[in-house]
């Protein structure tokens, strides 16, 4: 079965510290991978995506992610956390199930301590 | 481009009542999706449309749920005989798919449903 797994439902970092949010997927075909961010009571906003080409992708707000096929991973990183990064982050994969459906991981809530 | 619009944003209803949510996608988008999200969880796929055709329905979508996109533009999601377990945020999203499944999906702000 195709799936997306986010390791750690909660991650807490200090302001200025490295942010690392983990995402692994299972897919029998090349996936299209996304990271979305959700602020309270709002919809989801795209941070970045991998479709083809360069495996290191850069997104908004200083985030980046690297697609590692051998590890079936797409971890999200940011070198220095800011208080405004506190939010819920979702990894997602678009799969060719005959119609290209996008499924989401359970999410990781990021806390940033002053 | 005004983004994906959903209404109502909040709905409180008594158990057993019917509710309907509306979604207006980004105008040139041919794909429209409905997801459900409960607290602490990621969005769960419910159904999606390619233009006016409903291409897939999740098993989460019981026969009390029906979605339509009659003219390939706006969509409605109706829940009949609501149950407390239906309480969730219902997210609508849209995209333009033309051969590239990596196209970004744009989400609306969501419609919160509380069944009391």
């Amino acid at each position: 079965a195709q799936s997306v797994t986010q390791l750690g439902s909660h991650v807490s970092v200090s302001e200025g510290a490295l942010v690392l949010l983990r995402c692994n997927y299972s897919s029998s075909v090349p996936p299209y991978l996304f990271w979305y961010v959700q602020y309270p009571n709002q919809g989801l906003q795209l941070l970045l995506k991998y479709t083809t080409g360069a495996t290191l992708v850069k997104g908004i707000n200083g985030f980046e992610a690297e697609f590692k096929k051998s590890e079936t991973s797409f971890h999200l990183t940011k070198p220095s956390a800011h208080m405004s990064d506190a939010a819920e982050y979702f990894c997602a994969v678009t799969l060719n199930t005959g119609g290209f459906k996008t499924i989401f991981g359970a999410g990781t809530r990021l806390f940033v301590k002053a | 481009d005004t983004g994906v619009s959903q209404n109502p944003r909040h709905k409180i209803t008594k158990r057993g009542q019917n509710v309907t949510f509306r979604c207006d996608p980004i105008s040139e988008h041919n794909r429209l999706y409905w997801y459900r999200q409960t607290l602490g969880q990621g969005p769960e796929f419910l159904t999606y449309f390619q233009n006016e055709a409903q291409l897939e329905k999740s098993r989460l979508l019981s026969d009390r749920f029906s979605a339509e996109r009659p003219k390939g533009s706006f969509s409605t999601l109706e829940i009949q005989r609501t149950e407390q377990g239906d309480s969730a945020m219902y997210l609508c999203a849209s995209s333009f798919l033309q051969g590239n499944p990596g196209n970004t999906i744009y989400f609306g702000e969501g419609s919160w449903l509380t069944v009391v």
Side-chain angles (χ1 to χ4, degrees):
Chain A
Q2 324 285 9
S3 68
V4 180
T5 303
Q6 292 185 240
L7 298 176
S9 59
H10 298 85
V11 170
S12 182
V13 300
S14 297
E15 192 173 21
L18 171 71
V19 175
L20 171 61
L21 304 182
R22 300 177 186 273
C23 174
N24 289 86
Y25 68 92
S26 67
S27 173
S28 57
V29 297
Y32 299 88
L33 298 158
F34 305 80
W35 275 99
Y36 283 84
V37 60
Q38 185 177 35
Y39 297 99
N41 299 316
Q42 294 186 22
L44 281 72
Q45 178 185 5
L46 181 72
L47 274 178
L48 50 79
K49 65 180 180 181
Y50 168 79
T51 54
T52 59
T55 57
L56 180 64
V57 293
K58 296 183 184 299
I60 62 172
N61 301 337
F63 284 94
E64 61 183 39
E66 186 172 10
F67 168 55
K68 292 187 177 180
K69 184 178 178 181
S70 61
E71 298 177 8
T72 61
S73 68
F74 191 57
H75 302 331
L76 181 71
T77 60
K78 181 174 180 177
S80 177
H82 191 273
M83 296 296 288
S84 61
D85 295 327
E88 187 94 23
Y89 291 81
F90 294 96
C91 182
V93 57
T94 295
L95 304 167
N96 185 357
T97 58
F100 297 112
K101 181 174 67 179
T102 299
I103 61 173
F104 288 80
T108 298
R109 181 164 293 279
L110 176 65
F111 297 91
V112 182
K113 300 175 291 185
Chain B
D1 178 0
T2 58
V4 179
S5 177
Q6 293 187 245
N7 67 82
R9 291 292 316 280
H10 299 88
K11 178 73 176 179
I12 300 174
T13 190
K14 292 183 178 180
R15 188 176 54 184
Q17 297 295 305
N18 299 344
V19 296
T20 300
F21 298 110
R22 175 179 169 125
C23 172
D24 289 90
I26 294 172
S27 59
E28 66 269 23
H29 284 183
N30 54 4
R31 279 271 174 114
L32 186 147
Y33 312 80
W34 285 101
Y35 288 84
R36 181 174 68 187
Q37 187 179 23
T38 53
L39 284 175
Q41 297 297 318
E44 297 173 296
F45 171 80
L46 293 179
T47 187
Y48 77 93
F49 294 83
Q50 174 88 11
N51 299 312
E52 65 274 10
Q54 188 172 19
L55 295 187
E56 187 173 343
K57 293 170 58 174
S58 164
R59 58 181 173 82
L60 295 174
L61 216 63
S62 75
D63 56 8
R64 296 186 297 105
F65 288 71
S66 62
E68 296 181 343
R69 195 183 184 198
K71 297 182 180 179
S73 56
F74 74 93
S75 175
T76 58
L77 176 68
E78 181 182 17
I79 309 173
Q80 296 181 325
R81 304 181 303 280
T82 53
E83 302 172 356
Q84 287 187 323
D86 297 331
S87 296
M89 182 162 69
Y90 291 84
L91 288 163
C92 178
S94 71
S95 69
F96 181 73
L97 181 68
Q98 189 174 39
N100 180 3
N103 284 349
T104 299
I105 294 177
Y106 294 87
F107 282 84
E109 299 277 302
S111 293
W112 278 103
L113 173 64
T114 301
V115 181
V116 297

